[in-house]
């Protein structure tokens, strides 16, 4: 069986990615705020008329800078979510009755030296290690992890936690 990305996980992360991209476009930062009259911008943000001692141009410059910073953070968040999603989607893991493959490397169940099940019941996370490999599998990320958990439980002759 080949692990496949969990559709719900994929859709939730794609939604988050799209929200961050839209926020990162920064319409307010690059279009609306710079084109606005300083007084009108003050009234739209503060919901009151400016006092005599308010420097409206400084207020506008500060708000434009803040919006650009927020857009930058949104694009950074989009990058992080996108890279995480890409790494999960590109992950290659297959298993059958004889053993398992991580990428292009093949292992037998007897190659497993340690199985950490400490997060299995609560989070569906399983860490399997042996000579030359250590792999963390998350049932939220991939469909098929539960079946692999059953397969290694059936072939259990190793240390488990």
């Amino acid at each position: 069986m080949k692990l496949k990305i969990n559709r719900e996980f994929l859709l939730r992360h794609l939604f988050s990615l799209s929200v961050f991209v839209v926020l990162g476009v920064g319409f307010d930062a690059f279009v609306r705020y710079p084109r606005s009259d300083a007084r009108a911008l003050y009234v739209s943000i503060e919901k009151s008329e400016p006092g005599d001692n308010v420097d409206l141009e400084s207020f506008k410059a500060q708000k434009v800078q803040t919006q650009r910073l927020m857009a930058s953070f949104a694009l950074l968040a989009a990058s992080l979510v996108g890279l995480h999603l890409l790494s999960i989607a590109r992950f290659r893991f297959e298993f059958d009755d004889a053993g398992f493959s991580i990428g292009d490397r093949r292992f037998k169940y007897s190659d497993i030296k340690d199985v950490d099940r400490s997060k299995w019941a609560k989070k569906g996370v399983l860490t399997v290690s042996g000579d030359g490999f250590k792999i963390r599998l998350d049932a939220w990320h991939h469909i098929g992890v539960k079946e692999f958990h059953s397969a290694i439980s059936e072939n259990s002759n190793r240390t488990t936690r």
Side-chain angles (χ1 to χ4, degrees):
M1 175 179 210
K2 184 177 186 178
L3 295 189
K4 297 176 193 160
I5 193 163
N6 182 347
R7 182 173 167 78
E8 183 182 356
F9 171 83
L10 175 66
L11 292 176
R12 285 185 184 200
H13 279 71
L14 285 175
F15 176 76
S16 298
L17 179 65
S18 64
V19 167
F20 287 133
V21 167
V22 167
L23 291 173
V25 168
F27 181 78
D28 284 348
F30 298 102
V31 179
R32 184 173 159 245
Y33 282 20
R35 289 184 183 171
S36 293
D37 172 68
R39 186 191 159 287
L41 182 64
Y42 183 93
V43 170
S44 72
I45 293 172
E46 298 296 325
K47 308 293 186 228
S48 67
E49 290 295 323
D52 292 335
N53 60 347
V54 175
D55 181 355
L56 292 174
E57 290 305 317
S58 293
F59 176 85
K60 177 180 174 178
Q62 186 271 328
K63 293 304 178 185
V64 168
Q65 182 181 12
T66 300
Q67 287 298 314
R68 288 181 178 169
L69 182 63
M70 295 302 285
S72 298
F73 280 131
L75 288 177
L76 175 63
S79 299
L80 294 173
V81 170
L83 288 172
H84 176 67
L85 191 55
L86 183 63
S87 72
I88 297 300
R90 292 181 51 125
F91 179 68
R92 299 291 173 246
F93 187 90
E94 295 181 44
F95 66 96
D96 54 30
D97 292 337
F100 57 97
S101 298
I102 305 168
D104 60 351
R105 296 177 58 203
R106 182 79 182 159
F107 300 96
K108 295 182 254 177
Y109 289 110
S110 61
D111 294 333
I112 297 174
K113 303 293 183 217
D114 183 52
V115 179
D116 181 356
R117 291 183 172 95
S118 61
K119 297 179 183 175
W120 180 252
K122 191 171 184 178
K123 296 192 174 241
V125 175
L126 180 70
T127 304
V128 180
S129 57
D131 292 333
F133 71 93
K134 182 173 184 176
I135 190 95
R136 181 181 172 270
L137 300 172
D138 191 325
W140 166 237
H141 297 167
H142 292 101
I143 295 171
V145 174
K146 292 177 183 175
E147 291 80 359
F148 180 68
H149 178 260
S150 296
I152 61 173
S153 295
E154 292 169 8
N155 295 294
S156 184
N157 62 350
R158 65 208 52 86
T159 308
T160 60
R161 294 185 264 155

